Amino acid sequence: MGMSQDNLRGFILALLSSGFIGASFIIKKKGLRRAAAVSGVRAGYGGYAYLLEPLWWLGMVTMIVGEVANFVAYAFAPAILVTPLGALSIIVSAVLAHFMLKEKLHQLGVLGCVMCISGSVIIVIHAPQESPITSVQEIWAMATQPAFLLYLGSVIVLVVLLILYFAPRCGHTNVLVFTGICSLMGSLSVMSVKALGTALKLTFEGKNQLVYLETWFFMFIVTTCVIIQMNYLNKALDTFNTAVVSPIYYVMFTSLTIIASVIMFKDWDGQNTGSIISELCGFIAVLCGTILLNSAKDSDRGSSFRGEHAPLSPTLSTRLFSGNRETLKHDEENELSPDDICLRKQEPY
């Protein structure tokens, strides 16, 4: 199946985003190590010398560039194409860490990389073509169709139930509670980000969409969803081991985002059964590769279901932009500052 110009642009932007964000973690980590060597206090133990380290700020700029590219990618390509490609940033991070930080990439990690790449290629080849959108009001019509309103209502009910009933009772013993809230809200934030990105794209093309209330409403939804998502992702990371949170969050967030996109934007309309099955197989391959990469990365730490690391500061949430980026956290967790973590799709998305 041929790839449309918009899909190609979105694909290239998603690849660039993964490259920049994956590289940003390595650059920031080298900056953290350099700052710790000078000050004698690592960021994980309350040191802030990294704020004076140019290399750390270079990593921050690199990360911001990657997140901007990810945001723009959603304006050109369907979420079913862009969101799973976020896993490629893990590969970039793992490979660069192997060569630049001397963090060994085990055979299991290599297999995970191969699976992520193979799954991504399958998804790209069979990605659906989006119908041209000429105004934000078209997206509003999609968002208010009965099928998506049913999904939206279900998400709201589940989130309220999780927050008010399950979180106080078992939120600190069951990893699915906090990650479930993050993933559900993340699927809504991606839909709103895509709507907002499309509106801005049309505005830059000369069709001003800022005059419509719908554009500002989507911006409000993005802000609200991201705040809730950041809060509960931080709680999940503060309570459970990253080796557990990362793959579960990536699987749930990406799966729900694809479901929401299929319902709202009707990504699979017009596609044959073979293409849909191929996309699902590619998605499963990416998920399995992500889990393998995290397993290889954390195997030496003797990961357990409950967190064994020191609680992270709430300022972790300030680096959340794309949901599926949490999987980029490196082995030497105590060498990273709480601000050194960013999620893509991901994100918050």
Side-chain angles (χ1 to χ4, degrees):
M1 180 184 295
M3 182 180 290
S4 68
Q5 287 294 324
D6 278 352
N7 272 16
L8 180 60
R9 292 189 186 101
F11 168 67
I12 293 173
L13 286 167
L15 285 183
L16 289 173
S17 174
S18 295
F20 277 111
I21 290 178
S24 75
F25 277 80
I26 306 304
I27 297 172
K28 287 194 290 182
K29 189 165 185 177
K30 288 183 72 69
L32 287 168
R33 287 181 172 180
R34 185 181 295 179
V38 172
S39 67
V41 181
R42 295 191 302 192
Y45 291 93
Y48 292 97
Y50 63 88
L51 294 175
L52 301 176
E53 175 55 53
L55 194 59
W56 186 85
W57 283 107
L58 176 61
M60 284 295 297
V61 171
T62 305
M63 182 196 70
I64 292 171
V65 171
E67 293 296 356
V68 171
N70 186 56
F71 177 85
V72 178
Y74 279 107
F76 288 100
I80 196 172
L81 170 62
V82 176
T83 304
L85 291 179
L88 296 180
S89 57
I90 310 168
I91 298 177
V92 174
S93 179
V95 171
L96 289 178
H98 178 78
F99 290 105
M100 298 178 65
L101 301 178
K102 308 304 179 184
E103 295 178 359
K104 187 177 180 181
L105 183 61
H106 300 280
Q107 291 183 346
L108 196 62
V110 174
L111 177 60
C113 290
V114 172
M115 292 186 69
C116 284
I117 293 173
S118 302
S120 298
V121 170
I122 294 172
I123 291 172
V124 170
I125 291 174
H126 297 279
Q129 311 292 339
E130 280 193 317
S131 301
I133 297 174
T134 58
S135 78
V136 72
Q137 292 176 314
E138 287 186 33
I139 304 178
W140 180 258
M142 297 175 187
T144 54
Q145 61 183 306
F148 189 74
L149 288 177
L150 179 61
Y151 176 81
L152 176 63
S154 302
V155 168
I156 292 174
V157 170
L158 285 173
V159 168
V160 170
L161 192 62
L162 286 170
I163 291 176
L164 298 182
Y165 182 80
F166 288 101
R169 290 169 173 80
C170 55
H172 290 84
T173 57
N174 191 329
V175 69
L176 295 178
V177 176
F178 292 150
T179 54
I181 296 171
C182 297
S183 302
L184 288 164
M185 296 305 294
S187 68
L188 297 183
S189 68
V190 168
M191 298 302 101
S192 300
V193 161
K194 182 166 180 59
L196 183 60
T198 302
L200 293 176
K201 171 192 168 188
L202 291 171
T203 298
F204 290 132
E205 291 176 351
K207 303 173 184 177
N208 189 8
Q209 303 297 304
L210 300 179
V211 297
Y212 298 112
L213 289 176
E214 290 86 348
T215 301
W216 299 101
F217 181 78
F218 282 126
M219 186 178 294
F220 170 76
I221 295 299
V222 169
T223 304
T224 303
C225 290
V226 165
I227 290 173
I228 297 174
Q229 195 178 349
M230 287 191 298
N231 181 39
Y232 284 93
L233 180 62
N234 197 42
K235 289 185 178 183
L237 292 169
D238 189 44
T239 305
F240 302 99
N241 194 296
T242 308
V244 175
V245 174
S246 295
I248 290 177
Y249 175 63
Y250 181 81
V251 170
M252 293 178 66
F253 166 75
T254 309
S255 301
L256 288 168
T257 296
I258 290 176
I259 291 172
S261 183
V262 167
I263 295 173
M264 180 171 169
F265 294 99
K266 302 186 183 302
D267 290 332
W268 285 343
D269 282 12
Q271 281 202 296
N272 57 49
T273 305
S275 293
I276 295 174
I277 292 175
S278 297
E279 289 168 26
L280 292 175
C281 290
F283 174 54
I284 291 171
V286 172
L287 294 183
C288 293
T290 302
I291 293 171
L292 282 177
L293 272 168
N294 277 278
S295 299
K297 188 170 56 180
D298 294 290
S299 59
D300 293 336
R301 286 203 309 231
S303 305
S304 62
F305 185 77
R306 292 302 301 271
E308 296 175 354
H309 52 279
L312 297 175
S313 161
T315 54
L316 162 69
S317 62
T318 62
R319 294 274 59 85
L320 177 63
F321 196 92
S322 184
N324 51 349
R325 304 298 187 187
E326 170 50 32
T327 50
L328 290 174
K329 191 167 184 178
H330 292 291
D331 291 347
E332 299 178 35
E333 202 167 335
N334 57 359
E335 286 194 14
L336 294 170
S337 74
D339 289 331
D340 196 36
I341 298 173
C342 171
L343 301 176
R344 163 138 177 228
K345 141 289 151 154
Q346 262 132 332
E347 14 197 79
Y349 294 162

PDB file of all heavy atoms in Angstrom, residues 134-138 198-204 206-216:
ATOM      1  N   THR A 134     -10.620  19.713   6.587  1.00  0.00           N
ATOM      2  CA  THR A 134     -10.543  21.106   6.140  1.00  0.00           C
ATOM      3  C   THR A 134     -10.843  22.122   7.229  1.00  0.00           C
ATOM      4  O   THR A 134     -10.613  23.314   7.042  1.00  0.00           O
ATOM      5  CB  THR A 134     -11.525  21.338   4.969  1.00  0.00           C
ATOM      6  OG1 THR A 134     -12.865  20.996   5.393  1.00  0.00           O
ATOM      7  CG2 THR A 134     -11.153  20.457   3.773  1.00  0.00           C
ATOM      8  N   SER A 135     -11.357  21.664   8.374  1.00  0.00           N
ATOM      9  CA  SER A 135     -11.628  22.598   9.470  1.00  0.00           C
ATOM     10  C   SER A 135     -11.721  21.848  10.786  1.00  0.00           C
ATOM     11  O   SER A 135     -11.973  20.633  10.809  1.00  0.00           O
ATOM     12  CB  SER A 135     -12.928  23.382   9.228  1.00  0.00           C
ATOM     13  OG  SER A 135     -14.049  22.586   9.526  1.00  0.00           O
ATOM     14  N   VAL A 136     -11.518  22.563  11.882  1.00  0.00           N
ATOM     15  CA  VAL A 136     -11.602  21.959  13.205  1.00  0.00           C
ATOM     16  C   VAL A 136     -13.032  21.534  13.514  1.00  0.00           C
ATOM     17  O   VAL A 136     -13.271  20.657  14.347  1.00  0.00           O
ATOM     18  CB  VAL A 136     -11.070  22.944  14.277  1.00  0.00           C
ATOM     19  CG1 VAL A 136     -12.050  24.098  14.482  1.00  0.00           C
ATOM     20  CG2 VAL A 136     -10.813  22.224  15.597  1.00  0.00           C
ATOM     21  N   GLN A 137     -14.006  22.134  12.822  1.00  0.00           N
ATOM     22  CA  GLN A 137     -15.399  21.753  13.034  1.00  0.00           C
ATOM     23  C   GLN A 137     -15.675  20.337  12.545  1.00  0.00           C
ATOM     24  O   GLN A 137     -16.547  19.655  13.076  1.00  0.00           O
ATOM     25  CB  GLN A 137     -16.321  22.764  12.338  1.00  0.00           C
ATOM     26  CG  GLN A 137     -16.280  24.150  12.998  1.00  0.00           C
ATOM     27  CD  GLN A 137     -17.113  25.177  12.269  1.00  0.00           C
ATOM     28  OE1 GLN A 137     -17.048  25.268  11.048  1.00  0.00           O
ATOM     29  NE2 GLN A 137     -17.880  25.951  13.013  1.00  0.00           N
ATOM     30  N   GLU A 138     -14.934  19.886  11.533  1.00  0.00           N
ATOM     31  CA  GLU A 138     -15.043  18.498  11.094  1.00  0.00           C
ATOM     32  C   GLU A 138     -14.600  17.551  12.202  1.00  0.00           C
ATOM     33  O   GLU A 138     -15.218  16.514  12.444  1.00  0.00           O
ATOM     34  CB  GLU A 138     -14.201  18.268   9.840  1.00  0.00           C
ATOM     35  CG  GLU A 138     -14.770  18.868   8.565  1.00  0.00           C
ATOM     36  CD  GLU A 138     -13.952  18.476   7.352  1.00  0.00           C
ATOM     37  OE1 GLU A 138     -13.392  17.354   7.330  1.00  0.00           O
ATOM     38  OE2 GLU A 138     -13.844  19.296   6.426  1.00  0.00           O
ATOM     39  N   THR A 198      -3.963  19.611  14.180  1.00  0.00           N
ATOM     40  CA  THR A 198      -4.572  19.798  12.859  1.00  0.00           C
ATOM     41  C   THR A 198      -5.087  21.224  12.697  1.00  0.00           C
ATOM     42  O   THR A 198      -4.937  21.832  11.628  1.00  0.00           O
ATOM     43  CB  THR A 198      -5.728  18.802  12.665  1.00  0.00           C
ATOM     44  OG1 THR A 198      -5.241  17.459  12.823  1.00  0.00           O
ATOM     45  CG2 THR A 198      -6.344  18.943  11.281  1.00  0.00           C
ATOM     46  N   ALA A 199      -5.686  21.768  13.755  1.00  0.00           N
ATOM     47  CA  ALA A 199      -6.184  23.148  13.706  1.00  0.00           C
ATOM     48  C   ALA A 199      -5.043  24.136  13.472  1.00  0.00           C
ATOM     49  O   ALA A 199      -5.166  25.074  12.668  1.00  0.00           O
ATOM     50  CB  ALA A 199      -6.916  23.488  15.000  1.00  0.00           C
ATOM     51  N   LEU A 200      -3.924  23.935  14.135  1.00  0.00           N
ATOM     52  CA  LEU A 200      -2.771  24.818  13.952  1.00  0.00           C
ATOM     53  C   LEU A 200      -2.170  24.665  12.560  1.00  0.00           C
ATOM     54  O   LEU A 200      -1.749  25.637  11.928  1.00  0.00           O
ATOM     55  CB  LEU A 200      -1.717  24.526  15.023  1.00  0.00           C
ATOM     56  CG  LEU A 200      -2.114  24.870  16.464  1.00  0.00           C
ATOM     57  CD1 LEU A 200      -1.023  24.440  17.435  1.00  0.00           C
ATOM     58  CD2 LEU A 200      -2.387  26.364  16.606  1.00  0.00           C
ATOM     59  N   LYS A 201      -2.144  23.424  12.080  1.00  0.00           N
ATOM     60  CA  LYS A 201      -1.638  23.168  10.729  1.00  0.00           C
ATOM     61  C   LYS A 201      -2.475  23.927   9.694  1.00  0.00           C
ATOM     62  O   LYS A 201      -1.935  24.584   8.792  1.00  0.00           O
ATOM     63  CB  LYS A 201      -1.668  21.665  10.450  1.00  0.00           C
ATOM     64  CG  LYS A 201      -1.365  21.286   9.010  1.00  0.00           C
ATOM     65  CD  LYS A 201      -1.718  19.825   8.782  1.00  0.00           C
ATOM     66  CE  LYS A 201      -1.713  19.494   7.297  1.00  0.00           C
ATOM     67  NZ  LYS A 201      -2.235  18.136   7.028  1.00  0.00           N
ATOM     68  N   LEU A 202      -3.807  23.840   9.810  1.00  0.00           N
ATOM     69  CA  LEU A 202      -4.695  24.542   8.884  1.00  0.00           C
ATOM     70  C   LEU A 202      -4.532  26.056   9.006  1.00  0.00           C
ATOM     71  O   LEU A 202      -4.592  26.787   8.007  1.00  0.00           O
ATOM     72  CB  LEU A 202      -6.150  24.143   9.157  1.00  0.00           C
ATOM     73  CG  LEU A 202      -6.517  22.692   8.806  1.00  0.00           C
ATOM     74  CD1 LEU A 202      -7.910  22.358   9.325  1.00  0.00           C
ATOM     75  CD2 LEU A 202      -6.445  22.462   7.305  1.00  0.00           C
ATOM     76  N   THR A 203      -4.309  26.519  10.248  1.00  0.00           N
ATOM     77  CA  THR A 203      -4.124  27.963  10.466  1.00  0.00           C
ATOM     78  C   THR A 203      -2.871  28.455   9.750  1.00  0.00           C
ATOM     79  O   THR A 203      -2.885  29.498   9.099  1.00  0.00           O
ATOM     80  CB  THR A 203      -4.022  28.264  11.977  1.00  0.00           C
ATOM     81  OG1 THR A 203      -5.240  27.874  12.616  1.00  0.00           O
ATOM     82  CG2 THR A 203      -3.778  29.754  12.216  1.00  0.00           C
ATOM     83  N   PHE A 204      -1.778  27.692   9.843  1.00  0.00           N
ATOM     84  CA  PHE A 204      -0.540  28.066   9.163  1.00  0.00           C
ATOM     85  C   PHE A 204      -0.687  28.000   7.646  1.00  0.00           C
ATOM     86  O   PHE A 204       0.063  28.652   6.919  1.00  0.00           O
ATOM     87  CB  PHE A 204       0.617  27.185   9.621  1.00  0.00           C
ATOM     88  CG  PHE A 204       1.050  27.451  11.035  1.00  0.00           C
ATOM     89  CD1 PHE A 204       1.250  26.404  11.932  1.00  0.00           C
ATOM     90  CD2 PHE A 204       1.254  28.748  11.480  1.00  0.00           C
ATOM     91  CE1 PHE A 204       1.650  26.648  13.236  1.00  0.00           C
ATOM     92  CE2 PHE A 204       1.657  29.005  12.787  1.00  0.00           C
ATOM     93  CZ  PHE A 204       1.847  27.952  13.671  1.00  0.00           C
ATOM     94  N   GLY A 206      -3.220  29.106   6.152  1.00  0.00           N
ATOM     95  CA  GLY A 206      -4.038  30.243   5.753  1.00  0.00           C
ATOM     96  C   GLY A 206      -5.508  30.115   6.085  1.00  0.00           C
ATOM     97  O   GLY A 206      -6.293  31.037   5.836  1.00  0.00           O
ATOM     98  N   LYS A 207      -5.894  28.973   6.675  1.00  0.00           N
ATOM     99  CA  LYS A 207      -7.294  28.774   7.068  1.00  0.00           C
ATOM    100  C   LYS A 207      -7.380  28.915   8.587  1.00  0.00           C
ATOM    101  O   LYS A 207      -7.233  27.933   9.319  1.00  0.00           O
ATOM    102  CB  LYS A 207      -7.784  27.390   6.634  1.00  0.00           C
ATOM    103  CG  LYS A 207      -7.634  27.139   5.134  1.00  0.00           C
ATOM    104  CD  LYS A 207      -7.968  25.695   4.794  1.00  0.00           C
ATOM    105  CE  LYS A 207      -7.735  25.402   3.323  1.00  0.00           C
ATOM    106  NZ  LYS A 207      -7.982  23.970   2.982  1.00  0.00           N
ATOM    107  N   ASN A 208      -7.578  30.111   9.062  1.00  0.00           N
ATOM    108  CA  ASN A 208      -7.540  30.417  10.488  1.00  0.00           C
ATOM    109  C   ASN A 208      -8.590  29.620  11.266  1.00  0.00           C
ATOM    110  O   ASN A 208      -9.788  29.779  11.067  1.00  0.00           O
ATOM    111  CB  ASN A 208      -7.753  31.914  10.702  1.00  0.00           C
ATOM    112  CG  ASN A 208      -7.513  32.320  12.152  1.00  0.00           C
ATOM    113  OD1 ASN A 208      -7.045  31.518  12.962  1.00  0.00           O
ATOM    114  ND2 ASN A 208      -7.821  33.556  12.474  1.00  0.00           N
ATOM    115  N   GLN A 209      -8.109  28.764  12.168  1.00  0.00           N
ATOM    116  CA  GLN A 209      -9.011  27.955  12.998  1.00  0.00           C
ATOM    117  C   GLN A 209      -9.098  28.481  14.432  1.00  0.00           C
ATOM    118  O   GLN A 209      -9.858  27.953  15.237  1.00  0.00           O
ATOM    119  CB  GLN A 209      -8.512  26.499  13.032  1.00  0.00           C
ATOM    120  CG  GLN A 209      -8.371  25.867  11.672  1.00  0.00           C
ATOM    121  CD  GLN A 209      -9.690  25.751  10.935  1.00  0.00           C
ATOM    122  OE1 GLN A 209     -10.640  25.158  11.444  1.00  0.00           O
ATOM    123  NE2 GLN A 209      -9.763  26.317   9.735  1.00  0.00           N
ATOM    124  N   LEU A 210      -8.322  29.519  14.720  1.00  0.00           N
ATOM    125  CA  LEU A 210      -8.319  30.068  16.078  1.00  0.00           C
ATOM    126  C   LEU A 210      -9.593  30.859  16.385  1.00  0.00           C
ATOM    127  O   LEU A 210      -9.851  31.201  17.532  1.00  0.00           O
ATOM    128  CB  LEU A 210      -7.094  30.964  16.283  1.00  0.00           C
ATOM    129  CG  LEU A 210      -5.731  30.279  16.101  1.00  0.00           C
ATOM    130  CD1 LEU A 210      -4.609  31.281  16.319  1.00  0.00           C
ATOM    131  CD2 LEU A 210      -5.588  29.091  17.039  1.00  0.00           C
ATOM    132  N   VAL A 211     -10.362  31.140  15.359  1.00  0.00           N
ATOM    133  CA  VAL A 211     -11.615  31.880  15.563  1.00  0.00           C
ATOM    134  C   VAL A 211     -12.730  30.966  16.046  1.00  0.00           C
ATOM    135  O   VAL A 211     -13.796  31.445  16.453  1.00  0.00           O
ATOM    136  CB  VAL A 211     -12.047  32.583  14.258  1.00  0.00           C
ATOM    137  CG1 VAL A 211     -11.004  33.607  13.844  1.00  0.00           C
ATOM    138  CG2 VAL A 211     -12.275  31.568  13.137  1.00  0.00           C
ATOM    139  N   TYR A 212     -12.506  29.669  16.000  1.00  0.00           N
ATOM    140  CA  TYR A 212     -13.530  28.713  16.423  1.00  0.00           C
ATOM    141  C   TYR A 212     -13.350  28.333  17.887  1.00  0.00           C
ATOM    142  O   TYR A 212     -12.230  28.061  18.341  1.00  0.00           O
ATOM    143  CB  TYR A 212     -13.483  27.451  15.560  1.00  0.00           C
ATOM    144  CG  TYR A 212     -13.758  27.700  14.094  1.00  0.00           C
ATOM    145  CD1 TYR A 212     -12.755  27.536  13.143  1.00  0.00           C
ATOM    146  CD2 TYR A 212     -15.015  28.108  13.660  1.00  0.00           C
ATOM    147  CE1 TYR A 212     -12.994  27.752  11.797  1.00  0.00           C
ATOM    148  CE2 TYR A 212     -15.271  28.332  12.315  1.00  0.00           C
ATOM    149  CZ  TYR A 212     -14.256  28.156  11.389  1.00  0.00           C
ATOM    150  OH  TYR A 212     -14.498  28.391  10.056  1.00  0.00           O
ATOM    151  N   LEU A 213     -14.448  28.283  18.622  1.00  0.00           N
ATOM    152  CA  LEU A 213     -14.394  27.890  20.035  1.00  0.00           C
ATOM    153  C   LEU A 213     -13.912  26.456  20.195  1.00  0.00           C
ATOM    154  O   LEU A 213     -13.312  26.104  21.219  1.00  0.00           O
ATOM    155  CB  LEU A 213     -15.778  28.049  20.670  1.00  0.00           C
ATOM    156  CG  LEU A 213     -16.261  29.491  20.901  1.00  0.00           C
ATOM    157  CD1 LEU A 213     -17.684  29.477  21.453  1.00  0.00           C
ATOM    158  CD2 LEU A 213     -15.322  30.220  21.848  1.00  0.00           C
ATOM    159  N   GLU A 214     -14.176  25.621  19.193  1.00  0.00           N
ATOM    160  CA  GLU A 214     -13.765  24.220  19.277  1.00  0.00           C
ATOM    161  C   GLU A 214     -12.259  24.077  19.444  1.00  0.00           C
ATOM    162  O   GLU A 214     -11.794  23.196  20.178  1.00  0.00           O
ATOM    163  CB  GLU A 214     -14.207  23.458  18.015  1.00  0.00           C
ATOM    164  CG  GLU A 214     -15.696  23.250  17.896  1.00  0.00           C
ATOM    165  CD  GLU A 214     -16.414  24.410  17.251  1.00  0.00           C
ATOM    166  OE1 GLU A 214     -15.792  25.483  17.093  1.00  0.00           O
ATOM    167  OE2 GLU A 214     -17.599  24.254  16.901  1.00  0.00           O
ATOM    168  N   THR A 215     -11.487  24.942  18.774  1.00  0.00           N
ATOM    169  CA  THR A 215     -10.021  24.881  18.897  1.00  0.00           C
ATOM    170  C   THR A 215      -9.589  25.113  20.335  1.00  0.00           C
ATOM    171  O   THR A 215      -8.744  24.388  20.877  1.00  0.00           O
ATOM    172  CB  THR A 215      -9.372  25.936  17.978  1.00  0.00           C
ATOM    173  OG1 THR A 215      -9.761  25.692  16.634  1.00  0.00           O
ATOM    174  CG2 THR A 215      -7.853  25.887  18.089  1.00  0.00           C
ATOM    175  N   TRP A 216     -10.157  26.109  20.972  1.00  0.00           N
ATOM    176  CA  TRP A 216      -9.809  26.435  22.352  1.00  0.00           C
ATOM    177  C   TRP A 216     -10.326  25.379  23.320  1.00  0.00           C
ATOM    178  O   TRP A 216      -9.689  25.110  24.348  1.00  0.00           O
ATOM    179  CB  TRP A 216     -10.348  27.820  22.713  1.00  0.00           C
ATOM    180  CG  TRP A 216      -9.761  28.880  21.836  1.00  0.00           C
ATOM    181  CD1 TRP A 216     -10.350  29.483  20.763  1.00  0.00           C
ATOM    182  CD2 TRP A 216      -8.442  29.425  21.919  1.00  0.00           C
ATOM    183  NE1 TRP A 216      -9.493  30.375  20.170  1.00  0.00           N
ATOM    184  CE2 TRP A 216      -8.302  30.370  20.864  1.00  0.00           C
ATOM    185  CE3 TRP A 216      -7.364  29.229  22.779  1.00  0.00           C
ATOM    186  CZ2 TRP A 216      -7.147  31.097  20.647  1.00  0.00           C
ATOM    187  CZ3 TRP A 216      -6.205  29.950  22.559  1.00  0.00           C
ATOM    188  CH2 TRP A 216      -6.099  30.877  21.519  1.00  0.00           C
TER     189      TRP A 216
END
